[in-house]
Structures are given as structure tokens and as C-alpha cells.
Amino acid sequence: MGINGLWKAIETIGQRKSLTSIAYDLKRDGHLSEGRGLPCFGVDLSPCMDECVAATMAQGVNGQLPGGPLYIFFHKLVAYLEVPATFVFVFDGPKRPATKRGRQVRHQVWWGTVVEELILAFGFRVHHAPGEAEAELAMLNHLRMIDGVITSDSDAFIFGTRRVIRTIPNKLKEFTDEFEVYSADGLEEKLRLTLGGVTLFALLAGGDYDETGVSGCGQAISLGLAQCGFGDELLATSCQFLHSDGAEFDHFIQDWRASLCEELRTNSRGNLSGRRPDIAQKIENSEFPDSRIVTLYIHPSTSADSLPDPASWFLVHDLLLNRIAQFCQQHLQWPMEGLLKNKLKKVIFPAIVLRMLHSPMTFYDSETRMLIGPAFQVTIHKVLWKTRKGHFASRYGATKQPRLIVSTSNFLALLGYPQEDGDSISVWAPREALPLELQDEDQLESGPSKSRGPRRKKRQTSSIGTKKRAKGKHSTYQMPSAPSTSVAEDCIAGPSSLANKHPIQWLGFIDLTSEAQSETGSQVSKKEVIDLTTGD
């Protein structure tokens, strides 16, 4: 839930973007700390699961989805796989306030264990907060251990989150991958709403710890008083006297309350729509603000004194395909072999390909046209450059986008399926995610560089394939047949021997330090890290 009316008060400064665009913007604008190739987003798990539960009750669904809320959550994880970022999901902890909005807080949820196992199977990370997850996420964001908080709970602002990525209800989305981005800097620059201002807004308008706030104080009055600076004074003094005997703080509150009421009576700073002596009288006759609620907002329980090690959060971990297949069989009612195979090819395999393209642990071999990662290898048969249709046309216009035709034989073999001819999928990918050899559409149309060899009539050859003109409107990129040499076997010998045989674009490191066990149950020592960026 969060703070009453805050989303409405700040909606004018929210920017609608896809999560992929947000990730690319953070990287391009230099917001990532040194040494990190991808941003890390924190997910507030409790409102995320509330959204999943609500989606199963929507009109036309009526709780009939196989797996119920787990079905919705599963597809959220699939969507996150397609984003060039790492994710950490934060659970609420036992030190949460006992009541919120007049209801007892449940510390045990039915979905806790199965959701945590599924998150780890997808290669994402899990973190347990001691108290409120949104307070923990704000602390992690303030320390730059994560680059943004994905949540629909506006309480994220009051705890000091610097970048909030708000989930949008499906009926209000133009695209399925659309979010709203808010920054603390934007709130301050465009609305003059500081952290102290948000605190005062919550105390006046009401929130999770006090549903009603001050009667008659809606979003307009709360925002106007927050813009006067009263919240900053309250926050600074509350932090200063948090652990004192209270006498000095009580004296400050009396003077501060009198100034607040005077502004309501006079509107001397012009931030209100008019004078409100009625509300001033209500505040004078009350104990506003409630010191207990102020303390809950400014001093929440977090792990600030025992910070988690975020090193593994910044690494891209491979998903455990067999565990995901087992989940689908058990919870999504995909038990039949043919149905499971078709669902995985349609839903999971394209997301894995995008994950590989985004991962700095993947490299591309232009001779064998293979993407090679620690756990998966896929062959790119073709790259088709086409204009998007439907509602995506409004996003991309006439700009052609790459559509990959990719073999799924490696994925199917890992699951025990026999290899069959025609086992391939189509994957739309961002141009920026492609290996350099495949990014330039003009280069593909013009063929190889002159240094690659002599031209042949009606045909050109290069180390990355043979270009042919399709009969339709779009150009296609026809890959050559694969050589018999196994690049995967060469990779075991190290990058030097492999580089001598194949021209490879190295994209980063292979991470063998995942705490999650592999499909076979073995665990790798943190010392066994292979640096694939040098030939030493």
C-alpha cells in the first residue's frame, strides 16, 4: 500500500520505460560502480506477490490459472531473465511492525519456500531483511549495492530509496514490459519534495502505520506543507534527539507544531490553495505527530550493522533448467512430455537466449556461429532484420530490429529430449545485445571487408557467414555450416588455445562461484574462477 495519495501527487514526474531501457540508460550514463558490467535491481517481494494474487482474481480469470499466483510470478521471472541486469529479491523479516493498517502482520506466508526455490532456480539472488523489505531495499540503494527498487509500494520513498521503479497495472500499460521510473533527485528538483517532505506527507495524509493521518489533509495540503520545509526540520531534529530523554524534543515539537498551524491559517508561503484554519485547529488539539510513527519511519530495522556481501549479486548466474522444468510439471500442470517441451520452447528458451546475449560471461564464435556460456551453448542460424508490427510499431517505428533464429538442441538435450530436425526458435533481441559482428545491419548487407578475401560473382563470404537476399522485403543473414571442431572442448583447455583456432569476441568472465548447486548437485569453490579475458 504505502503512503495515501503519494503516487497521485508525484505522477507527473514519472517516466515510462521498459526495464531493459532503464538498465541500458544506467550503464550508458555511468551510474554503475567501477567493475560492474550490469546494473542490479532489488525487488520488494511482498507487493510483488500481492500483485500476483490480485491478477488471479481479475475479471475473466477468476482464480482458474494453473498454479494460481505462482503462474503469474513464474512469468515475471521469465520477463526478468530478458533484462540486461541482475536481480535480488528481498523478503520481509520478523522485526516488521506488529500491525499495519489496523491488521496483524503475518510473518509466515504460504508461498515463501516455493517462491525462494524458484528464484534461485532462475539464477537470481535472495536476501532476507530483518524488518521491512522496503526499508532494507532503500538502505541497499543508498549504499549503491543495488541500482533501483522495483515495487508498487510508495513507502520506498520514505525510507530513502534513490530510484524507484514502479510496477504498473496491466490495464494501464501500453507495453507488457513497461514501468514508471522515479528518482529522489527528480522529486526534489521538480516538486521540491525532499526526504523530510515525504516523511511529513506520510504523517499528514496517512500510511501503513496510521491509516487516516490528519483528517482533512489530502495530497494537495500534504504536498503544500511538505514544500514549506516543515518536514526537513522535523526529520533533522528527530534524528538528532532520537535516543535522548525526550525533553528537548518535546520542546521542539511544540514550537514546530505552532509554526505548522500558523502556516495553515495564513498560507504565507503560498504553497496551499487557501487558508485552512479548520485543519490547524485539529492539529493543535492533537498529539501530532505521533512519536512512535516518526520513529518507525526514520529508524527502521535493517541490516546496516551487518551488511550482506553483494559480490554475487553483480554476477550473472545460470539458471537450473531441470529444476524449472520440474516446477512447471508440479505447479503449472505441464506434465505431458509434448506439452512441457512446447511450453519451454515458447516461454523459457527465448529468455535464456536473451540472458546469454546480455551476460558478460558469454562469448560468440563467429566461425561456428555459437553463443557459448558456462552452462549453455546455442547456434544462431540466421539474423533477420525486420520492422516490428502491432503495438511495438509505435515504439520502434520503421527501424528494423534483429530477429534471431536459434537452435534449441542444446536445451532439449539437457532435459533428456532427443534431437530433432527443425528444433529452433525465433527471438527478438535488442541491437545492443548482439555480438559486434552481428550488430551492424549495413555491414551484413554489404558483406565482408576487403581484407577477408576476393569477391565472387553473386556471392560474398566472410568469417561470420554468407549473406543472401531473401525474396521478401527483408534482408536475411544465412550462417555457414558448423565445423566439426567442438568449441566447448577447446574452452576447457583455456582461451589461448581456443583463440588460435577461432576468432572469438570475448565478453567477460565465467563465474564459477555460484552458491547454488549445479544440476548434478556439485558445488564449486570460490577459488576456481577462470579469467577468459587474457591469454596467460
Side-chain angles (χ1 to χ4, degrees):
M1 293 292 291
I3 305 169
N4 299 339
L6 182 61
W7 286 125
K8 185 68 175 177
I10 67 174
E11 63 181 358
T12 57
I13 68 168
Q15 295 181 306
R16 291 206 169 194
K17 295 182 178 182
S18 71
L19 203 54
T20 294
S21 296
I22 297 170
Y24 278 130
D25 288 347
L26 287 171
K27 185 174 181 178
R28 183 191 64 244
D29 297 339
H31 290 298
L32 305 185
S33 57
E34 186 177 354
R36 287 172 48 195
L38 296 176
C40 179
F41 295 129
V43 181
D44 189 355
L45 193 52
S46 183
C48 177
M49 287 304 300
D50 288 344
E51 295 164 13
C52 294
V53 172
T56 62
M57 298 294 109
Q59 185 177 4
V61 179
N62 298 323
Q64 300 304 309
L65 283 175
L70 295 178
Y71 176 91
I72 306 295
F73 185 69
F74 171 84
H75 282 84
K76 282 181 178 286
L77 293 180
V78 172
Y80 289 153
L81 269 185
E82 300 174 356
V83 177
T86 59
F87 294 84
V88 55
F89 292 76
V90 179
F91 284 76
D92 289 311
K95 295 182 180 179
R96 299 174 69 193
T99 59
K100 294 180 70 172
R101 294 192 173 269
R103 297 180 181 180
Q104 284 292 120
V105 172
R106 293 178 301 168
H107 294 295
Q108 298 293 330
V109 289
W110 65 268
W111 44 262
T113 300
V114 64
V115 161
E116 181 168 354
E117 291 176 351
L118 185 60
I119 292 170
L120 295 175
F122 268 83
F124 301 134
R125 312 307 296 169
V126 168
H127 176 66
H128 291 268
E132 296 268 38
E134 53 264 45
E136 185 80 355
L137 285 160
M139 180 267 297
L140 296 172
N141 187 214
H142 179 73
L143 297 176
R144 299 189 66 186
M145 296 171 69
I146 59 176
D147 300 292
V149 175
I150 300 175
T151 185
S152 58
D153 192 338
S154 56
D155 271 348
F157 293 102
I158 202 169
F159 293 120
T161 301
R162 303 301 302 170
R163 181 176 292 103
V164 175
I165 303 169
R166 184 192 182 190
T167 54
I168 305 173
N170 285 333
K171 63 181 179 180
L172 301 179
K173 290 182 179 180
E174 183 179 358
F175 301 98
T176 56
D177 60 348
E178 198 169 35
F179 292 78
E180 280 184 348
V181 188
Y182 297 83
S183 69
D185 291 339
L187 263 65
E188 187 167 353
E189 293 170 3
K190 299 178 181 179
L191 295 176
R192 293 183 289 134
L193 190 58
T194 61
L195 178 57
V198 174
T199 304
L200 179 60
F201 190 109
L203 294 169
L204 292 168
D208 287 348
Y209 304 145
D210 176 18
E211 289 186 83
T212 58
V214 176
S215 178
C217 269
Q219 66 183 54
I221 295 175
S222 300
L223 179 60
L225 290 174
Q227 291 171 334
C228 292
F230 293 112
D232 297 322
E233 296 173 7
L234 177 63
L235 180 61
T237 307
S238 298
C239 292
Q240 180 181 355
F241 296 111
L242 184 64
H243 301 293
S244 67
D245 58 7
E248 288 187 79
F249 181 71
D250 290 342
H251 180 72
F252 161 78
I253 285 295
Q254 291 177 9
D255 293 340
W256 176 86
R257 187 188 298 125
S259 299
L260 183 71
C261 292
E262 181 66 16
E263 183 61 28
L264 283 166
R265 288 193 177 94
T266 63
N267 189 26
S268 62
R269 308 186 196 188
N271 291 325
L272 305 176
S273 59
R275 300 174 183 179
R276 296 304 303 266
D278 55 326
I279 297 179
Q281 185 174 2
K282 291 177 184 179
I283 292 177
E284 283 180 332
N285 295 332
S286 70
E287 295 297 323
F288 180 83
D290 187 327
S291 59
R292 180 188 64 86
I293 297 175
V294 173
T295 301
L296 287 174
Y297 279 137
I298 70 172
H299 191 61
S301 178
T302 68
S303 59
D305 295 331
S306 56
L307 291 175
D309 180 9
S312 63
W313 297 358
F314 305 146
L315 300 175
V316 180
H317 301 272
D318 286 307
L319 73 169
L320 305 178
L321 192 53
N322 279 330
R323 292 189 188 178
I324 292 176
Q326 291 170 5
F327 172 88
C328 294
Q329 289 178 310
Q330 295 173 7
H331 297 282
L332 304 187
Q333 301 177 21
W334 298 353
M336 297 174 57
E337 181 174 316
L339 175 62
L340 178 62
K341 176 181 176 181
N342 291 335
K343 288 284 190 179
L344 291 175
K345 287 181 65 175
K346 181 180 180 180
V347 178
I348 291 292
F349 293 172
I352 297 177
V353 173
L354 286 172
R355 193 67 171 168
M356 295 180 69
L357 287 169
H358 293 312
S359 173
M361 298 181 293
T362 302
F363 62 86
Y364 174 68
D365 184 344
S366 59
E367 286 194 7
T368 62
R369 82 273 194 216
M370 292 181 68
L371 283 175
I372 303 174
F376 305 110
Q377 301 175 18
V378 296
T379 302
I380 301 177
H381 291 310
K382 297 178 182 179
V383 180
L384 311 175
W385 290 85
K386 294 189 175 184
T387 54
R388 299 298 299 265
K389 298 180 179 179
H391 68 286
F392 280 103
S394 62
R395 172 181 287 182
Y396 298 107
T399 304
K400 292 182 179 181
Q401 301 297 316
R403 183 181 176 188
L404 312 182
I405 306 301
V406 181
S407 170
T408 62
S409 58
N410 176 248
F411 301 144
L412 295 172
L414 290 173
L415 293 171
Y417 288 105
Q419 297 188 24
E420 300 177 4
D421 294 336
D423 274 332
S424 60
I425 55 174
S426 173
V427 182
W428 289 101
R431 181 190 293 262
E432 300 94 328
L434 297 182
L436 291 177
E437 296 95 328
L438 305 181
Q439 281 190 15
D440 190 349
E441 181 185 357
D442 296 332
Q443 179 181 346
L444 296 182
E445 291 181 352
S446 63
S449 61
K450 294 182 180 180
S451 61
R452 287 291 185 181
R455 293 181 178 268
R456 298 182 183 179
K457 292 183 178 180
K458 299 182 181 180
R459 186 176 180 181
Q460 294 173 328
T461 61
S462 74
S463 64
I464 58 173
T466 303
K467 177 225 173 221
K468 296 182 180 179
R469 173 64 62 182
K471 294 182 180 180
K473 297 181 180 179
H474 308 292
S475 61
T476 65
Y477 190 72
Q478 180 67 47
M479 296 294 185
S481 59
S484 58
T485 305
S486 170
V487 178
E489 293 176 358
D490 290 338
C491 188
I492 299 174
S496 297
S497 60
L498 184 57
N500 291 333
K501 295 185 178 182
H502 309 296
I504 291 173
Q505 176 196 349
W506 296 99
L507 302 182
F509 294 88
I510 286 184
D511 168 36
L512 298 180
T513 63
S514 173
E515 296 175 1
Q517 291 186 344
S518 67
E519 298 285 356
T520 60
S522 61
Q523 194 161 355
V524 182
S525 167
K526 289 188 176 182
K527 296 181 180 179
E528 298 178 52
V529 180
I530 301 176
D531 180 3
L532 297 182
T533 61
T534 67
D536 295 335

